[in-house]
Amino acid sequence: MYTRLSCSKVFCPPWRRCISGQCVCKMPYKCPRQDKQACTLDGSHYYSMCQAKAISCRSSEPVFSHFSSACGAEEKVEVHLRKSKKHNVVMIKTAKGTMPVCGNGWNMASANVVCRNPQKEPRGAETATTIKHSQIDKASDWPEECMSVRCTGSELSLAECTIYNPQPITESTDVAVVKCYNPKGECKKFLCTNGKCINQGKACNGIDDCGDYSDEMCCQRCNGAFHCKSDVCIPLDAVRDGVRDCLGGEDELDENPKPVEIKPSDLFSDPMSEIRAIRSSTESQLQCGVPNMEYEFKQNATLRQRTKRLVGGEEALPTQIQWQVAIQDEGSIHCGGAYLGGCWVLTAAHCVRPKPKSYRIKFSLWKKHQMLSTTDSIPVKNIIIHHEYNAQTYANDIALVQLEPLNLSDKCMKDNPAVRAVCVPWSTQQFQPNDTCTISGWGRDRAGMSAGILKWANVTIISDCKNYYKDRFLPGMECAGDLEGKVDSCQGDSGGPLVCKDASGVSYVWGIVSWGEKCGEPNNPGVYTKVAHYFDWIRFHTGWAAVTKYNQ
Ligand code: ARG
């Protein structure tokens, strides 16, 4: 079962990183520095909210109270429940005094946080409701204001949530009421990963009824919530909020309706702005998946000839596929590869032997036997073949080529406007069957002729490939093409990329051309190494920063 910590489905918060599909607590020193210091319950100062949260992540104890530029002076935020008839009214104590939490914006995510602490019910709340202020038994000192809070649901205390400045209470004001979860007997309804039992109808509504988000992770559609392609439902207030929640970024596209903006002056404490800042600073560090448009197709467009060669392919324009490389082995080219950035190229294990000296990697190559002005040829320093590669079965057909650094430099290539890196997918859920992606290479056409000019073709990802290849189809493989056999990769395309583009327009190397029964045969689609399956292996060899800007 998936939860909010399953990073094959959702992003880790900035104080966690994704290892083998789970968000684990980050080492506090891995947090980026921020201008704002974190205020903490024990009075110590941390250099960022990320660092404070990374520490409390390990201890499971809340360490910070809330954020302010002037740390220290502010009082800590405390929460308690106040009984009124059968209701538990949620009370919040801040530097502004003690007052009820407003009903406006009150939801399950916040209620879960309240019940986990101080009630210590790890599964959170049973219900989050509101009552009219007029229904409360009030003592004479009852406050005349309430404060709204908004949590994401993963906070360890209400103090870590977004808190708004006090609003005056009128007779019609609603205030927040909570009932904490109380397990009763066997679950005949929806069983959350954390053991909480909720009504079936509460799954897939964008509301974290479980408290671990497990009711929102596998939804073909969402009820009153935004549906991510990876089948996760996210609440509407997370759409267009400046933080990407869906793996492909579809929640942040301009075409989505923007939620009503809250004036910054209304905020008492705003951890979301910190999260936005950390996310955007780490996410701007890696450039990949976007071609250099300035350069793309600059060359004479009349060069284009629509010869339908290779298996259903079309000739590329010069500098069109900027991450495509050719692997030159003792002077001749039999394989392609994908540039990952830095000094790294990804290819198929069956394309290389552990003899770096035999190879050169050609960047910005178009015609196989002729250079462009942008073509660069780079020697190889090291070749890393997957330790479980099996040449008989093609299992784990993946290899990394490490380029030789330039003299007196840690770079491996001079800046080249016609070369861009493709991104490495970190999750096997980023693309799905029936998605259309692109293959490219200098491989053979149906007649067995090898292409003189780089070609490309669109293919679709095919599900249940065991149906076609039986036991030859292994974990870590992905099929793509079409079942009629109209498009396919072929001999000579191996090692080259199968590239898919996400909703935000960023391209990922989803597959590596590996094998297939002949080429372009009906019901024998091309088989690709499923790159996302090897994310941890790639990251282990290249280091974090080289391959991912997310979850790191
Ligand atoms: N193994 C081949 C190569 O070395 C690639 C074959 C791809 N075949 C296919 N039908 N998709 O080039």
Side-chain angles (χ1 to χ4, degrees), residues 334-335 350-351 394 397 469 480 488-495 513-521 524-528:
H334 303 289
C335 273
H350 83 260
C351 283
Y394 279 76
D397 190 12
Y469 283 119
D488 199 3
S489 44
C490 199
Q491 260 57 48
D493 292 321
S494 278
V513 178
S514 180
W515 61 277
E517 186 59 46
K518 307 211 187 70
C519 303
E521 290 277 305
N524 282 321
V527 185
Y528 298 79

Side-chain angles (χ1 to χ4, degrees), residues 14 34 36-37 49 67 270-279:
Q34 279 180 290
K36 277 195 185 169
Q37 283 198 332
M49 166 217 221
F67 270 83
D270 181 19
M272 282 304 282
S273 70
E274 252 78 15
I275 293 179
R276 260 191 289 273
I278 312 176
R279 286 274 298 259

Side-chain angles (χ1 to χ4, degrees), residues 316-335:
L317 296 172
T319 77
Q320 180 182 337
I321 306 171
Q322 298 178 355
W323 30 76
Q324 174 84 43
V325 305
I327 310 236
Q328 191 176 49
D329 183 351
E330 314 277 5
S332 57
I333 294 171
H334 303 289
C335 273

